[in-house]
Amino acid sequence: MKQIDLTTKITVYSYDECTEVEKSLIDAAKEATSNAYAPYSKFHVGAALLLENGKIITGNNQENAAYPSGLCAERTAVFYANAQYPDQKIEALAVAAFYNEKFTDDLISPCGSCRQVLLEVESRYNSPVKIMLYKNGEVYVAESMSSLMPLSFTKDALE
Ligand code: THU
């Protein structure tokens, strides 16, 4: 028998400790919550991506009466970015959520499907995506999605 311990590094910053670019990304994610279509959950999520050229792309959750047909904010943003700017590496992602008339006090972390899509982004551009999760005044930062997904399934398995 052997045991393998896996560790993940998360750094917590106050919003004020972030760089100007990081603040812009977080602000964009917060702002994007206002265009979410979430009549069922009332949980408004905003995602903002920083492209290599400095452009910020945002997305938000788009729900549907047939629940599984909706899409999370993160994938809405990633698929739009990849559709419009396929040659632009995605360098960072910020996520924020607005619920019960305020930005959440709890951390909002991407769901499993969004994590898998972000993992594909990292392998597609061969570059980490910095993950920035906003919760009221604080930002939890992971250096990559793969650091949040040990033992993940990637294209390596198909080679
Ligand atoms: N949601 C996101 O958009 N991103 C997340 O990271 C977590 C969940 C959405 C899906 C659904 O519209 C609502 O939040 C409640 O689950």
Side-chain angles (χ1 to χ4, degrees), residues 25 47-58 74-94 114 117-131 143-145:
L25 199 63
L49 300 169
L50 178 65
L51 305 187
E52 195 177 4
N53 63 5
K55 195 171 174 63
I56 289 177
I57 299 294
T58 60
E74 295 89 329
R75 275 175 290 161
T76 302
V78 167
F79 292 149
Y80 179 83
N82 283 169
Q84 298 296 323
Y85 306 96
D87 299 329
Q88 285 295 315
K89 177 166 87 181
I90 296 173
E91 295 188 336
L93 160 75
C114 290
V117 164
L118 284 152
L119 208 59
E120 187 73 22
V121 166
E122 291 186 343
S123 89
R124 174 178 180 168
Y125 297 102
N126 195 24
S127 184
V129 178
K130 183 157 86 171
I131 309 295
E143 286 314 311
S144 63
M145 181 45 79

Side-chain angles (χ1 to χ4, degrees), residues 28-59:
K30 290 174 73 178
E31 206 177 313
T33 62
S34 62
N35 286 337
Y37 177 66
Y40 305 105
S41 70
K42 317 262 191 259
F43 194 76
H44 295 76
V45 185
L49 300 169
L50 178 65
L51 305 187
E52 195 177 4
N53 63 5
K55 195 171 174 63
I56 289 177
I57 299 294
T58 60

